Amino acid sequence: MSTAPSTAPAPAPDAPAPPRRGWAALRPLVLRLHFYAGVLVAPFLLVAAATGFLYAGAFQAEKLLYAHEMYVPVGDTELPVSQQVAAARKAHPEGTVTAVRPSPADDESTRVMLSGADGVEAGHTLAVFVDPYTAEVRGALEQYGSTGALPLRTWIDEFHRDLHLGEPGRLYSELAASWLWVIAAGGLALWFSRRRALRRVRGTTGRRRTLGLHGTVGVWAALGFLFLSATGLTWSTYAGAHIDDLRTSLRQATPSITATAGGDHGGHGGAATAGGADGPGVGLDRVLAAARSEGLSDPVEIVPPADATSAYEVRQVQRAWPTKQDAVAVDPASGEVTDVLRFEDFPVLAKLTRWGIDLHTGVLFGLVNQIALMVLTLALILLIVWGYRMWWQRGRGTSFGRPVPRGAWRQVPPRVLVPLAALVAALGYVVPLLGIPLAGFVVVDAVRGEIAHRRGSPQEAS
């Protein structure tokens, strides 16, 4: 028995999926960038977060550990600054007086800073602590930086900044700051693009719960991460230099006082370099009185003339809010103020830079600032742990976690991809420790894709 041939038409091939548009096209690319940046940069961020947590807590630890040197019983009348410096020089005749910080509060000691003292690291000073009421020397400790960090905080600060490796070690912290904002911004975009039901944490388990915790904490902390990244870059090695150049070109650089003495004062500056207790010329007491007459209230720092042509500098050193950063120059021969610099006259970007750095380092709002930084760094540590856990929970296969598939960039329309690539290139120039690793990642990823393609693994080569 014969059967009639079937006349049913052959099934039509599946129509190609319509091209993705807008965020739907960008999302896979952002996901891949967030994933790989998180995996590869997370170790650097983890070190930065852990050391940042310790640094924020070091301010209060410093007050406990060095209480004997930093604090004194409140007396009746403070002695002249020159007498306090003389007591410090008698106890420590070595080195040169480079600065004096008179007692800023009734229960705090005066600090006399000496450079060139035996056993003190280059770039650091020996701070001699003097009771302002009795001129008793209460001790001497190595000090670093404009915030007067003592040994404990100095050690943690340098570990956070460069892992105690010097200038080469600063690359790690700049790398972390360069990528933190990228990871935070990408995470925000991915989180808010998810359906509301998929953002839930309560009632979920496994990878879904880990993702919910990671996303929820990341959203709440993202603004803080963006701030830490931006302010960290302002004093980094390479990006910081570009930012300084930009501020200078916009006439927004931080101004400095003109500390040049008027007239011919012979060897007055030589007394300073020789470490004279009372300072050259009119002496520390008259210089401090001249600064007070210009409204410079405590805390202040007196810097003796560097040479015969220089003046005294007296500058406020309060970084806490409200910021006190006024400065005056005082002629060592006459005791007259020759220049005045007011913080209120700083350019806008110079003020913002000052406040940003002080907020980043935990001094702008004191204890509240330090607690906020500790919470923020702890959040970053948790996010990194949850991120690696999600990678593990995605399924191991033959390696530790499955990567996000390749080829995401092909889904981005050229009208979006081309300006996006130009923007990334510009950012990579300004922030080289973002641009160079990103270019390296693209090259390595392309090579791996080509190798996978030649081996016939379409999933890996896509």
Side-chain angles (χ1 to χ4, degrees), residues 38-367:
V39 168
L40 299 175
V41 181
F44 301 97
L45 288 172
L46 186 61
V47 174
T51 55
F53 180 89
L54 293 176
Y55 182 79
F59 286 90
Q60 303 306 316
E62 186 176 68
K63 293 177 181 179
L64 295 174
L65 187 61
Y66 307 117
H68 176 74
E69 290 84 0
M70 296 176 66
Y71 299 101
V72 298
V74 178
D76 296 326
T77 305
E78 289 189 9
L79 299 172
V81 173
S82 58
Q83 191 171 334
Q84 299 176 50
V85 174
R89 297 300 284 151
K90 183 177 180 181
H92 294 274
E94 73 280 10
T96 302
V97 176
T98 55
V100 180
R101 292 192 177 185
S103 169
D106 291 342
D107 63 343
E108 293 187 30
S109 55
T110 292
R111 296 192 192 192
V112 180
M113 276 77 83
L114 308 175
S115 66
D118 294 339
V120 175
E121 186 178 339
H124 295 195
T125 58
L126 182 69
V128 182
F129 296 83
V130 182
D131 187 323
Y133 304 102
T134 66
E136 173 197 359
V137 174
R138 299 179 65 83
L141 296 166
E142 191 166 336
Q143 177 178 296
Y144 170 75
S146 58
T147 61
L150 298 178
L152 172 66
R153 184 154 58 93
T154 297
W155 192 93
I156 297 173
D157 177 26
E158 293 177 348
F159 189 32
H160 177 67
R161 185 176 67 251
D162 59 23
L163 303 177
H164 292 285
L165 298 175
E167 283 301 313
R170 294 187 67 181
L171 295 177
Y172 114 85
S173 57
E174 185 167 353
L175 178 69
S178 299
W179 281 91
L180 179 57
W181 72 271
V182 176
I183 297 172
L188 273 177
L190 291 170
W191 182 252
F192 284 109
S193 69
R194 290 173 65 85
R195 295 191 302 275
R196 183 178 297 274
L198 296 178
R199 301 183 202 157
R200 257 197 340 255
V201 177
R202 186 176 300 176
T204 58
T205 58
R207 183 175 180 275
R208 176 87 174 274
R209 179 173 178 79
T210 307
L211 177 60
L213 291 169
H214 181 88
T216 302
V217 173
V219 165
W220 282 103
L223 186 61
F225 295 154
L226 294 174
F227 167 79
L228 288 179
S229 178
T231 52
L233 288 173
T234 57
W235 75 90
S236 61
T237 301
Y238 299 105
H242 287 141
I243 293 170
D244 286 345
D245 291 342
L246 176 62
R247 287 175 52 202
T248 300
S249 67
L250 296 174
R251 297 184 178 181
Q252 294 289 309
T254 301
S256 58
I257 197 163
T258 303
T260 303
D264 181 10
H265 305 308
H268 290 316
T273 57
D278 192 33
V282 296
L284 297 173
D285 298 321
R286 281 189 59 185
V287 168
L288 181 58
R292 300 293 194 210
S293 68
E294 290 292 336
L296 269 68
S297 58
D298 286 323
V300 298
E301 179 177 275
I302 308 169
V303 179
D307 51 44
T309 64
S310 299
Y312 281 94
E313 268 188 67
V314 185
R315 53 198 180 209
Q316 292 179 310
V317 291
Q318 179 168 302
R319 300 284 184 81
W321 187 267
T323 301
K324 294 181 180 180
Q325 293 285 292
D326 293 353
V328 297
V330 180
D331 190 298
S334 65
E336 295 179 355
V337 173
T338 58
D339 193 22
V340 178
L341 179 64
R342 303 290 183 188
F343 183 70
E344 64 183 17
D345 297 328
F346 278 29
V348 173
L349 290 184
K351 289 181 179 178
L352 291 177
T353 300
R354 176 74 276 147
W355 289 326
I357 291 174
D358 294 339
L359 192 59
H360 183 111
T361 53
V363 299
L364 189 60
F365 297 114
L367 180 59

